[in-house]
RNA sequence: GGCGAAGUAGCUCAGCUGGUUAGAGCGUACGACUCAUAAUCGUAAGGUCGGCGGUUCGACCCCGCCCUUCGCUACCA
């Protein structure tokens, strides 16, 4: 086995979010398991993480909470630390990017890049919106793609041909926020010349993957990024909260977060280990870098950060194995802080369950190949059946039985072929789990450990020691000793996953110091005496878990009552006075619609594919009249014409009722809001069933008569 | 509408570069055992591997089309 030093990192969590279970399993916990394995294995190991603190999001949060960005970061950094501590995450150092050390290293890497000619400086006519008074982010600029001529390519990428772009390349750029043509104010920015590094990046990707066996999703993402064609990437921004740019003329700018954040791994190491950090980061021959993260972070670790390293010309330790997970969902929904969906680190602390149970569940359900799903029912099942009934019970039944018949006696016995064969199997399985851990197959490794437990239970059952003890007590004793051997291996192997539980098991077996290094070395066991047996965990109770479930459902933002949502809508009959094609959009019409009482609106609708202009002219249609207006390709749309949609078919909701008639739900008071958002509109699940427009099965009316469709029997209203 | 990912037993998931009867755990049913946290052990039921075509001697795995779900995005509003 390789004796390389193991440098392990977990993706830097962004500071202003409370980490949820998905975040935790994705990076910090997975990396912790591997780091613990490596230490137990006797490898020289360093596990580094930090909070990522710079950027717009923090500035915004600071404004919202009326604090300085630094105060925001201080507060949340501490929160992160508390959560990770609760999860028994054992960092060798947990740093933060808003630290002088970080500034120094970021700047020095920048200087290297500049010295080596990988920095481009462009004083471009950068898109600046005079109206909104800000420089526009790439994607907020649109225009004509220089490659394929597509007329609304975004500033970062063209949707038609897929090429990566810069906003400056676009012909006829436009501000997407206000629709005005942005002023192209001269701003100077620094760019990392990725094209010049493309070849080395490809070489790096291939050789690193060959040696380190990247997670498949990481390899394919990296490949497609590079093969799509790389463009120079700006590494500075017009912001305040960030790493200052050490260059004249850049006093008002900072480095872009994506540039400085990965450098946080290095700076955190340097801060934690000022004397020895270079032994890790500047010793690629003897160091293997393992990086853990969720899938959204892949490009930065496989392309962007390696590019900075390669371009700096220094002999950095570079990515060896990338372990990128998919996402964990919560009860078939996405985790969402804003909607209050999910279990967050702070919740776990409050619930007060043994942390190893959380670790077990998360690792057992680790989203390795595809997204996986947290559910309270699954939580109960997995912990009770797969862990407690299996491992917990095996430990207990073995120790209780042994204690009863051989009190205070060491685990020594003459092993017969029956035990010897069994132990060979145990050895094989234990080695298998060890190798799976070595290869960072964390979920598989855990499953192997559970299989070991099942094997033990079967051995116990088949041998019937409760009978044997009466006739051949020494034979029964040998059996139990063999099972103690198995439990010892389980105890050792469990250490990376459930450190506290591992220690408890090994202590009960009288060998608390056993590690991965003496896996399957049973020589000390014959002197070991069991402690008084104790239950590892009592089983989770259905009632308790139901309680949690209810509590967390209650915390969620209540889903909007359809009737309440409907009450806010102001849907009226309007007559199409005028209709013409949108000047800049081939799929849109621009209509003038009379809603009665002199209220005449301009409304944009995407109906070109379904209707001719003359089919609609003069017709009366249903219109959402209190919808917040929105610019569509430069034309302000002051409402929305309703239609029924099913698959690719669409039918506009026409009406014979007088202009201005309001859509009603019999028996329901309506109190239209002055203005609603498009989200509020869609919160109301209007449908057509059997040619009838309805809400929750109740038909809607216009002046007392039902609203119907002609060709589409059912569909959604949009 | 565009791009991307995915669709394998009731549930959660494995199935590498195509090759005999498609796997595991949980759950369920029945049986066994009783040392143990009503735990354990055995047996069984259960899948047209989203659908339809195609390539092939042969496809869950390759190609095309379609359906569904999810994500991102848009000339959805």
């Amino acid at each position: 086995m390789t004796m390389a030093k193991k440098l392990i990192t977990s993706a830097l969590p962004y500071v202003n979010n409370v980490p949820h279970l998905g975040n935790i399993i994705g990076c910090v916990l997975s990396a912790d398991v591997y780091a613990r394995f490596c230490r137990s294995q006797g490898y020289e190991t360093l596990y580094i993480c930090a909070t990522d603190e710079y950027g717009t999001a923090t500035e915004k949060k600071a404004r919202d909470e009326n604090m300085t960005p630094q105060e925001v970061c201080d507060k949340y950094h501490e929160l992160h630390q508390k959560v990770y501590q609760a999860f028994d995450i054992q960092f060798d150092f947990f740093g933060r990017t808003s630290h002088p050390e970080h500034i120094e290293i970021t700047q020095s890497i920048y200087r290297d890049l500049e010295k080596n000619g990988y920095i481009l400086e462009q004083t471009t006519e950068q898109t600046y919106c005079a109206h909104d008074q800000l420089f526009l982010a790439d994607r907020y600029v649109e225009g004509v793609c220089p490659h394929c001529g597509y007329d609304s390519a975004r500033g970062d990428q063209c949707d038609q041909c897929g090429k990566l772009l810069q906003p400056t390349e676009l012909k006829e750029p436009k501000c997407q926020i206000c629709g005005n043509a942005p002023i192209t104010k001269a701003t100077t920015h620094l760019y990392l010349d990725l094209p010049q590094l493309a070849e080395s990046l490809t070489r790096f990707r291939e050789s690193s993957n060959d040696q380190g066996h990247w997670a498949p999703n990481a390899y394919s993402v990296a490949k497609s990024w590079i093969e799509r064609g790389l463009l120079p990437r700006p590494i500075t921004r017009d912001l305040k909260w960030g790493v200052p740019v050490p260059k004249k003329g850049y006093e008002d700018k900072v480095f872009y977060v994506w540039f400085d954040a990965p450098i946080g791994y290095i700076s955190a190491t340097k801060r934690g280990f000022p004397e020895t950090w270079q032994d890790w980061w500047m010793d690629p021959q003897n160091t293997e870098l393992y990086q853990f993260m969720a899938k959204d972070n892949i490009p930065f670790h496989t392309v962007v950060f390696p590019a900075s390293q390669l371009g700096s010309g220094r002999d950095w330790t570079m990515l060896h194995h990338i372990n990128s997970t998919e996402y964990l969902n919560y009860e078939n929904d996405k985790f969402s802080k804003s909607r209050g969906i999910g279990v967050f680190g702070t919740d776990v602390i409050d619930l007060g369950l043994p942390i190893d149970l959380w670790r077990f569940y998360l690792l057992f359900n680790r989203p390795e190949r595809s997204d996986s799903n947290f559910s309270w029912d699954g939580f109960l099942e997995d912990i009770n059946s797969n862990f407690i009934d299996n491992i917990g019970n095996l430990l207990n039944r073995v120790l209780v039985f042994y204690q009863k018949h051989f009190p205070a006696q060491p685990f020594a016995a003459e092993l017969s072929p029956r035990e010897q064969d069994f132990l060979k199997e145990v050895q094989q399985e234990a080695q298998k789990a060890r190798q799976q851990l070595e290869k960072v197959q964390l979920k598989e490794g855990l499953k192997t450990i559970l299989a070991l437990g099942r094997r033990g239970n079967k051995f116990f059952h088949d041998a019937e020691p409760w009978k044997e003890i009466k006739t051949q007590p020494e034979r029964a004793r040998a059996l139990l000793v063999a099972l103690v051997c198995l439990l010892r291996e389980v105890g050792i192997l469990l250490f990376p996953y459930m450190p506290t539980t591992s220690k408890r098991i090994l202590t009960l077996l009288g060998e608390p110091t056993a590690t991965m290094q003496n896996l399957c070395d049973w020589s000390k066991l014959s002197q070991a005496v069991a402690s008084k047996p104790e239950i590892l965990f009592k089983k989770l109770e259905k009632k308790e878990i139901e309680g949690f479930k209810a509590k967390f459902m209650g915390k969620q933002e209540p889903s909007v009552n359809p009737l309440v949502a409907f009450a806010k809508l102001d849907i009226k009959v309007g007559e199409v006075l005028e209709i013409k094609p949108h000047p800049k959009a081939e799929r849109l019409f621009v209509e003038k619609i009379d809603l009665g009482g002199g209220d005449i609106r301009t409304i944009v609708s995407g109906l070109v594919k379904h209707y001719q202009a003359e089919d609609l002219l003069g017709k009366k249609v249903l219109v959402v009249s209190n919808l917040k207006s929105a610019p569509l390709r430069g034309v302000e749309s002051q409402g929305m014409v309703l239609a029924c949609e099913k698959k690719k078919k669409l039918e506009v909701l026409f009406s014979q009722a007088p202009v201005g008639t309001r859509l009603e739900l019999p028996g329901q008071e309506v109190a239209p809001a002055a203005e609603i958002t498009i989200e509020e509109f869609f919160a109301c699940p209007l449908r057509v069933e059997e040619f009838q427009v309805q809400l929750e099965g109740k038909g809607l009316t216009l002046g007392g008569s039902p609203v119907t469709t002609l060709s589409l029997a059912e569909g959604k209203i949009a």
Side-chain angles (χ1 to χ4, degrees):
Chain A
M1 270 296 122
T2 171
M3 285 308 287
K5 289 175 285 189
K6 307 281 189 177
L7 175 54
I8 297 163
T9 69
S10 157
L12 308 191
Y14 198 73
V15 76
N16 67 13
N17 288 315
V18 184
H20 54 63
L21 295 180
N23 300 140
I24 289 166
I25 183 59
C27 49
V28 156
L29 177 54
S30 294
D32 183 63
V33 172
Y34 195 64
R36 283 177 180 276
F37 164 74
C38 290
R39 292 186 199 113
S40 177
Q41 184 71 33
Y43 299 149
E44 207 179 332
T45 304
L46 196 70
Y47 177 21
I48 298 293
C49 189
T51 41
D52 175 15
E53 309 195 345
Y54 287 130
T56 329
T58 304
E59 277 192 359
K60 183 176 181 305
K61 187 101 182 172
R63 272 198 301 277
D64 293 350
E65 298 197 2
N66 202 19
M67 300 162 89
T68 65
Q70 185 66 60
E71 285 165 347
V72 169
C73 293
D74 290 350
K75 173 180 156 193
Y76 280 92
H77 176 80
E78 201 177 316
L79 188 67
H80 276 266
Q81 211 153 22
K82 201 175 120 197
V83 168
Y84 301 144
Q85 222 162 50
F87 270 87
D88 252 341
I89 308 296
Q90 200 175 64
F91 302 117
D92 288 301
F93 190 75
F94 184 65
R96 48 195 304 188
T97 59
S98 69
H99 190 274
E101 205 71 74
H102 180 68
I103 294 174
E104 185 200 315
I105 295 200
T106 304
Q107 293 184 342
S108 86
I109 288 178
Y110 162 74
R111 285 197 193 91
D112 290 341
L113 287 165
E114 188 184 37
K115 188 182 72 201
N116 296 332
Y118 292 109
I119 298 295
L120 307 172
E121 184 176 28
Q122 293 190 28
T123 304
T124 49
E125 314 231 308
Q126 265 248 319
T127 43
Y128 177 85
C129 183
H131 176 259
D132 299 324
Q133 293 219 330
L134 51 83
F135 284 97
L136 297 167
D138 298 358
R139 59 161 54 184
Y140 288 121
V141 187
E142 62 173 28
V144 176
C145 175
H147 301 286
C148 67
Y150 181 52
D151 73 344
S152 62
R154 281 174 297 130
D156 55 344
Q157 186 174 10
C158 171
D159 280 330
Q160 187 152 294
C161 65
K163 290 224 168 73
L164 296 175
L165 304 173
Q166 284 174 76
T168 49
E169 286 186 300
L170 293 172
K171 298 171 189 164
E172 302 175 37
K174 276 203 175 60
C175 172
Q176 276 223 309
I177 299 170
C178 64
N180 294 317
I183 291 178
T184 45
K185 183 170 173 176
T187 181
T188 307
H189 278 291
L190 299 171
Y191 291 70
L192 180 58
D193 192 352
L194 290 178
Q196 212 192 135
L197 289 157
E199 246 176 71
S200 358
L201 281 169
T202 302
R203 270 200 305 277
F204 154 73
R205 182 189 77 222
E206 291 306 321
S207 76
S208 173
N209 180 51
D210 283 350
Q211 290 163 31
H213 307 290
W214 291 10
N217 59 356
Y219 181 80
S220 67
V221 167
K223 194 165 181 224
S224 87
W225 256 62
I226 297 173
E227 286 178 356
R228 261 187 172 197
L230 297 169
L231 290 167
R233 265 183 95 91
I235 59 168
T236 54
R237 294 204 81 184
D238 293 284
L239 273 184
K240 289 203 168 54
W241 182 240
V243 177
V245 183
K247 191 174 172 69
K248 270 192 203 117
Y250 284 82
E251 293 76 11
D252 294 334
K253 307 178 193 233
V254 297
F255 284 111
Y256 216 153
V257 269
W258 67 257
F259 179 73
D260 85 79
I263 295 173
Y265 296 128
I266 302 173
S267 65
T269 312
K270 185 172 178 193
R271 192 175 146 210
F273 306 90
E275 307 301 323
T276 55
W277 70 276
Q278 300 194 57
D279 297 348
W280 296 95
W281 283 101
M282 316 269 319
D283 186 16
Q285 298 311 312
N286 304 302
T287 311
E288 286 176 351
L289 172 57
Y290 288 74
Q291 304 201 277
F292 292 79
M293 68 205 71
K295 59 182 165 189
D296 54 335
N297 256 309
I298 292 170
F300 299 104
H301 291 80
T302 56
V303 179
V304 168
F305 180 52
S308 299
Q309 291 183 303
L310 289 166
S312 80
R314 285 196 253 170
D315 201 13
W316 293 110
T317 301
M318 292 182 69
L319 172 64
H320 169 71
H321 174 81
I322 175 169
N323 203 280
S324 37
T325 62
E326 303 286 322
Y327 291 139
L328 179 71
N329 293 317
Y330 175 79
E331 297 283 1
N332 294 312
D333 206 343
K334 275 186 302 178
F335 275 87
S336 161
K337 178 71 187 158
S338 56
R339 288 193 296 151
I341 294 178
V343 177
F344 292 79
T346 41
D347 299 325
V348 170
I349 296 175
D350 294 343
L351 290 177
L353 293 172
I355 207 67
D356 273 357
L357 295 182
W358 288 99
R359 291 179 59 117
F360 172 80
Y361 176 83
L362 291 172
L363 291 159
F364 189 66
N365 290 286
R366 187 166 179 261
E368 297 188 350
R369 300 271 154 158
S370 57
D371 292 358
S372 65
N373 182 46
F374 172 94
S375 73
W376 285 107
D377 293 339
F379 184 74
L380 179 110
E381 283 296 331
D382 286 343
I383 287 172
N384 282 353
S385 302
N386 288 309
F387 190 79
I388 298 179
D389 288 350
N390 176 3
I391 306 289
N393 188 241
L394 179 64
L395 177 78
N396 188 243
R397 71 197 291 210
V398 167
L399 291 185
V400 166
F401 197 96
Y402 194 86
Q403 191 84 346
K404 189 160 145 196
H405 298 282
F406 311 100
Q409 294 183 47
F411 297 120
E414 193 80 18
L415 300 184
S416 73
R418 178 180 69 176
E419 285 80 29
Q420 286 164 5
D421 290 348
F422 172 71
L423 286 181
K424 270 185 209 144
E425 260 183 79
V426 169
Q427 238 176 83
Q428 266 174 25
E429 281 295 290
Q431 287 302 341
K432 182 174 157 195
R434 204 198 61 74
Q435 278 160 19
Q436 284 165 329
L437 272 159
E438 179 88 51
K439 288 189 278 189
V440 207
Q441 295 169 354
L442 304 184
K443 190 154 75 168
E444 283 305 304
L446 187 51
K447 286 183 174 172
T448 305
I449 297 171
L450 297 181
L452 215 38
R454 264 182 261 113
R455 184 67 191 90
N457 275 314
K458 179 172 165 51
F459 188 60
F460 195 123
H461 184 272
D462 290 349
E464 301 185 310
W466 53 91
K467 289 181 184 162
E468 228 168 38
I469 196 74
K470 294 172 188 157
T471 52
Q472 304 166 274
E474 281 309 308
R475 199 166 147 74
R477 181 172 180 177
L479 176 95
L480 292 167
V481 167
L483 282 164
V484 167
C485 291
L486 175 141
L487 284 166
R488 174 184 180 276
E489 305 323 307
V490 168
I492 293 173
L493 288 163
L494 231 30
F495 175 69
Y497 299 97
M498 306 167 78
T500 307
T501 306
S502 162
K503 271 277 172 290
R504 286 179 63 201
I505 294 174
L506 293 172
T507 303
L508 286 171
L509 300 179
E511 202 186 337
T513 57
T515 69
M516 215 66 78
Q517 285 180 88
N518 37 48
L519 193 68
C520 299
D521 170 3
W522 294 305
S523 54
K524 284 191 190 153
L525 226 40
S526 53
Q527 290 105 58
V529 178
S531 326
K532 184 167 181 286
E534 72 185 51
I535 298 283
L536 234 33
F537 299 105
K538 64 177 207 291
K539 290 174 72 165
L540 297 177
E541 287 187 46
K542 196 141 194 144
K543 269 192 299 186
E544 183 184 21
I545 297 300
E546 290 298 327
F548 293 159
K549 202 199 256 186
K551 180 175 169 194
F552 278 82
M553 293 307 178
K555 257 181 56 180
Q556 278 179 228
E557 184 184 82
S559 56
V560 186
N561 180 334
L563 297 178
V564 174
F566 179 77
K568 285 196 277 188
L569 305 183
D570 190 8
I571 298 176
K572 291 196 279 205
V573 174
E575 181 176 342
V576 181
L577 300 177
E578 203 181 301
I579 176 164
K580 56 187 179 186
H582 191 294
K584 289 294 293 176
E586 59 189 27
R587 292 199 341 241
L588 299 182
F589 283 126
V590 180
E591 307 106 35
K592 286 258 187 289
I593 296 185
D594 179 7
L595 290 175
D599 187 2
I600 298 184
R601 306 286 184 88
T602 300
I603 291 180
V604 180
S605 309
L607 301 171
V608 172
K609 275 179 67 184
H610 306 279
Y611 288 92
Q612 303 286 321
E614 51 268 34
D615 296 339
L616 296 167
L617 187 60
K619 293 279 167 51
K620 285 185 279 189
V621 297
L622 283 182
V623 174
V624 185
S625 69
N626 59 342
L627 190 61
K628 184 177 193 265
S629 67
L632 288 177
R633 296 294 287 172
V635 176
E636 199 78 359
S637 182
Q638 303 160 319
M640 173 178 181
V641 173
L642 291 182
C644 169
E645 267 180 339
K646 175 70 176 178
K647 299 285 167 67
K648 282 168 188 167
K649 291 182 182 163
L650 181 147
E651 178 181 345
V652 168
L653 299 181
F654 294 107
S655 170
Q656 302 304 324
V659 163
T661 308
R662 178 175 288 159
L663 183 69
E664 291 172 320
L665 181 62
Q668 171 74 24
E669 285 293 314
V670 219
E675 185 175 274
I676 59 167
T677 63
I678 193 77
E679 286 77 21
E680 286 175 292
F681 170 74
F682 283 116
C684 181
L686 293 171
R687 287 192 56 78
V688 169
E689 296 290 348
E690 294 170 1
F691 299 100
Q692 274 268 342
V693 177
Q694 50 180 253
L695 177 66
E696 303 271 282
K698 280 174 279 189
L700 298 169
T701 59
L702 278 169
S705 32
V707 188
T708 58
T709 52
L710 288 174
S711 61
L712 278 180
E714 54 169 43
K716 284 185 291 198
I717 300 293

